[in-house]
Amino acid sequence: MIVHANGLDLRCEIAGPADAEAVVFIHGLAASADIWSGQAERLSDRFRTIRYDLRSHGRSQAVVKPCTRSELAGDLIALLDALEIERAVVVGHSGGGVVAMQSAVEHPERIRALVLVGTASECNDATAKWYLETAEKARESGGESAMKAMGMKPDGRLVPDGPGMAEVTLAMRTLNDEPLTAGLTHVSVPTLIVVGEKDFLGVGGSVILSRTIEGSELEIVPQRGHGIYLQDPDWFEDRLRRFLVEKVLDQPST
């Protein structure tokens, strides 16, 4: 379905009971809501799962103008408004994790819990350079070329709008000079941090998150990489479900 939110047409997919706890899944750069389909289907027996395409990704509207991390968080909050969801658990992978964290910092009253997968609240100069090069590739050669440069196979996947993806990528680059880390010290919702031991981004960013967000849980999973929920969907579903039951369903909503 297409939902008009924050002045944009965003594609989202919803499953599960309408009155159940809402769990929103956010994908990373160059991907789409489809990468979360397996987890959403598995959890929709007990939760209302929502997956959406970031702006300029998948079937969401392409926006070829500079955007900020705050605007990306605003897309999420406007989507929750449109769906009449007061608070939600937000599961974010990579760049989607950045959107989740930005939302928790700026709109804490809307976030029930966080699950941060293979993501970070800051980036060094080398990563900032990679973001810039990726944005240039997307802008000049298109979304499919950017996907290939990132090691993703476009076959059968929705291809992002190149120029629009470039703007989202540059928003992520601002983690270099405008880290989210300090803001996360004020986040007080239940938080699960998951990272694969062999994640090409390393585990350092997740360790920083675990030390910054009070009471958070950190899982460093042996022999797994960046897309752990695809590499080991059974393990990921079990860990996510346990977190949701213990830290969300079994706890009062405030």
Side-chain angles (χ1 to χ4, degrees), residues 216-238:
S216 60
E217 304 174 26
L218 173 64
E219 288 274 3
I220 300 177
V221 188
Q223 303 301 313
R224 298 303 179 195
H226 194 54
I228 185 170
Y229 53 93
L230 297 174
Q231 297 166 348
D232 199 341
D234 291 335
W235 179 90
F236 190 87
E237 181 218 349
D238 178 71

Side-chain angles (χ1 to χ4, degrees), residues 60-79:
S60 285
Q61 182 178 338
V63 185
V64 188
K65 65 178 183 179
C67 70
T68 64
R69 301 194 316 252
S70 292
E71 287 176 307
L72 295 172
D75 292 348
L76 169 61
I77 300 306
L79 179 65

